[in-house]
Amino acid sequence: MTTSLAGTVQALLDDTLAAYPQVVTLRHQRHRWTEPLRVAVAGRAGTGKSTLVNALIGDRVAPVTAPGDDTTVWYQDGAGPRATAYPRDGDPFELPLTMTPDGPRTGQADGDLVIHWPSRALRQMTLLDTPADGATLDDADAVLHLTPAARPADLEPLRAHQHSAVARATPIATVLVLSRADEVNGGRTDAFVTARQIARRHGRDPAVRDVCLRVHALGGLAAATARTLTDAEFETVAHLAALPRADTDGALLSTDRYLRAGLPPDLLHRLGLPGVRLATVLARTGHDTRLTLAGELARRSGVTELRDTITRGLIARTEALKARATLLAIESVLDGQWTPRTDALRVRLGRILAEATEFREMRLVAALPELPVRFATDLEAEAHRLAGGDGTDIPSRLGLDEPADAPTMRRYCDEALLRWQVLAEGGTADRHQRRAAAVVVESCAAILDRLGV
């Protein structure tokens, strides 16, 4: 049975540490393997990073302070709200955390700030609200990059992180988030639908796919408010929906008209005008409880789909993404200083890149919906599943509702392996399908290896 990717990479890390004992960043990499996945929320100022943090955590947490331009705010799971400052010079210290209706507030930190917050989402990942310059992305295992559009200039910051050999050989650990979905079509109620179509079109663009795993459209305010919608806010929306349309349609044409009509400014602040329009329409069309309205707002905003990508595409691949981050750190050290052991370490690094099925699986799962020639629906679903798109444990890969005995799982896998070998070797498949099938064959072989065949 072959050694796991984690074991192989950690062994290389240990040997690199032995050759470069003075490099502190390598020791940090060993510690990172014990932590939840680190996910950076990146983008220029004003793209909605803090709003996305709130939407993912499901609480009004960010922003907690007015940090300096180079401050990263880390959000970690904790027993209760707590803030710790990590100054550039000096020891860490606790900061007072004041709770307000809009979330916690604390003083400005000269350095990084860690917020401990009880959250189910933060048990599986640590979120990093990064500076606009993206200087701390090396501290992250994966990135949610927010941008209003996907123009070449908007993608340039992502390309800057793809120049090394490891970065080119491993899956892109970035999800591109188009963060102004509610402004498409002038903010009409169909804005979110159009924004999703735009995101899918960008996802089929090879120039975009070269720098990210997937593209999502997000209405940030609607997403964050859907996760934290209060009973009072629901009652306000229900009241607006109950008014005659002649009294509300004109007021919902612009912010100025909304405020002049005496409509609730707090709701406008929380949802934005497009979100108020959408929530009002939803309340009129059957979403007449807080839970149903919040659920539909979350779905329409794009945050439900984004969270699914984070769960299935990033968190489920924590081991592979931590391996990637470790290999990037090792590569940087090997490129920076030669020792008598450097060349041998570099050969081992190259072998890992060539042999790691997990990296190719991640690319395949992201690429399947965008292949120039699609598989039949049942085959595409099977490829997605076998490559770990529905979970990386063996029963999930084989489509079993519960674990079966080893002979049964081997039989399922053998049947799938034969089916995908035929596709990989030619037949009626085109070259894109053959390449995809070859990865699925690798996945089946890895399953059989884990089963002890």
Side-chain angles (χ1 to χ4, degrees):
M1 185 174 293
T2 59
T3 306
S4 69
L5 176 62
T8 303
V9 172
Q10 289 176 14
L12 177 62
L13 174 61
D14 290 341
D15 290 344
T16 308
L17 267 168
Y20 296 86
Q22 77 283 6
V23 180
V24 176
T25 55
L26 292 179
R27 292 199 293 274
H28 288 169
Q29 287 297 326
R30 167 58 74 182
H31 175 71
R32 282 174 60 171
W33 280 88
T34 66
E35 300 177 345
L37 189 74
R38 294 181 178 183
V39 180
V41 181
R44 295 194 303 270
T47 53
K49 291 182 291 181
S50 295
T51 303
L52 177 55
V53 167
N54 288 338
L56 295 176
I57 294 177
D59 211 341
R60 300 188 202 183
V61 183
V64 295
T65 185
D69 291 340
D70 56 351
T71 295
T72 298
V73 183
W74 300 60
Y75 295 91
Q76 299 178 346
D77 185 40
R82 182 164 57 90
T84 306
Y86 288 80
R88 294 174 185 84
D89 299 308
D91 296 329
F93 60 92
E94 297 294 309
L95 277 174
L97 200 60
T98 303
M99 305 307 296
T100 75
D102 291 325
R105 294 291 178 264
T106 188
Q108 188 163 334
D110 178 25
D112 287 357
L113 181 65
V114 175
I115 301 299
H116 298 272
W117 196 266
S119 165
R120 183 186 304 174
L122 295 178
R123 294 173 198 163
Q124 297 181 301
M125 63 178 171
T126 293
L127 291 174
L128 286 65
D129 191 345
T130 67
D133 62 6
T136 60
L137 294 187
D138 290 342
D139 290 330
D141 303 311
V143 179
L144 306 177
H145 184 82
L146 277 73
T147 179
R151 298 163 300 195
D154 299 308
L155 302 178
E156 196 55 42
L158 303 183
R159 293 194 182 93
H161 293 274
Q162 304 301 325
H163 294 315
S164 74
V166 171
R168 290 193 299 271
T170 55
I172 309 301
T174 299
V175 175
L176 188 66
V177 181
L178 304 181
S179 60
R180 292 286 184 262
D182 52 357
E183 297 177 5
V184 176
N185 289 348
R188 298 198 310 258
T189 53
D190 62 350
F192 298 97
V193 174
T194 303
R196 281 199 298 273
Q197 293 170 346
I198 293 171
R200 290 183 181 126
R201 186 169 68 245
H202 284 309
R204 291 190 290 269
D205 183 347
V208 176
R209 296 198 65 81
D210 280 347
V211 296
C212 68
L213 276 176
R214 192 156 295 170
V215 184
H216 284 282
L218 181 76
L221 286 175
T225 302
R227 298 294 312 281
T228 58
L229 189 70
T230 66
D231 289 332
E233 287 167 341
F234 169 72
E235 292 300 331
T236 301
V237 172
H239 173 70
L240 289 177
L243 292 174
R245 294 191 58 168
D247 295 342
T248 59
D249 286 358
L252 293 177
L253 287 175
S254 71
T255 300
D256 287 343
R257 291 189 181 192
Y258 181 96
L259 295 174
R260 283 202 304 269
L263 298 179
D266 289 348
L267 191 66
L268 184 66
H269 171 71
R270 289 271 282 146
L271 279 169
L273 190 61
V276 174
R277 290 177 185 141
L278 177 59
T280 303
V281 170
L282 292 176
R284 284 173 176 158
T285 54
H287 298 87
D288 53 0
T289 69
R290 182 180 64 82
L291 290 178
T292 58
L293 178 62
E296 187 62 12
L297 268 178
R299 190 187 71 80
R300 298 281 188 109
S301 72
V303 73
T304 300
E305 193 175 65
L306 175 59
R307 289 175 66 204
D308 185 64
T309 290
I310 293 171
T311 300
R312 295 175 180 270
L314 300 180
I315 293 173
R317 297 289 188 171
T318 293
E319 181 178 296
L321 291 171
K322 287 193 176 293
R324 180 183 189 272
T326 300
L327 293 175
L328 285 167
I330 291 172
E331 179 187 43
S332 177
V333 171
L334 297 181
D335 287 346
Q337 181 182 348
W338 187 87
T339 75
R341 301 176 64 180
T342 298
D343 291 342
L345 292 169
R346 198 185 298 278
V347 168
R348 287 172 60 187
L349 187 150
R351 187 179 301 123
I352 291 172
L353 295 178
E355 296 177 355
T357 298
E358 292 89 339
F359 294 148
R360 287 186 286 277
E361 285 182 339
M362 288 184 68
R363 285 192 179 275
L364 174 63
V365 168
L368 273 173
E370 314 300 343
L371 285 179
V373 179
R374 301 280 295 275
F375 288 112
T377 302
D378 57 339
L379 281 176
E380 183 173 318
E382 184 179 54
H384 178 91
R385 190 181 68 245
L386 288 168
D390 293 336
T392 57
D393 60 287
I394 293 177
S396 294
R397 287 175 182 267
L398 296 178
L400 302 175
D401 293 332
E402 56 187 32
D405 57 73
T408 299
M409 291 192 288
R410 280 197 294 270
R411 186 177 72 254
Y412 274 97
C413 192
D414 282 333
E415 292 172 356
L417 176 61
L418 178 60
R419 187 158 48 247
W420 287 97
Q421 281 176 330
V422 171
L423 285 169
E425 292 168 2
T428 59
D430 86 320
R431 61 187 179 90
H432 299 287
Q433 292 174 325
R434 289 197 299 272
R435 289 174 184 168
V439 176
V440 180
V441 168
E442 286 186 46
S443 298
C444 292
I447 293 170
L448 291 173
D449 185 71
R450 288 166 64 184
L451 290 170
V453 176

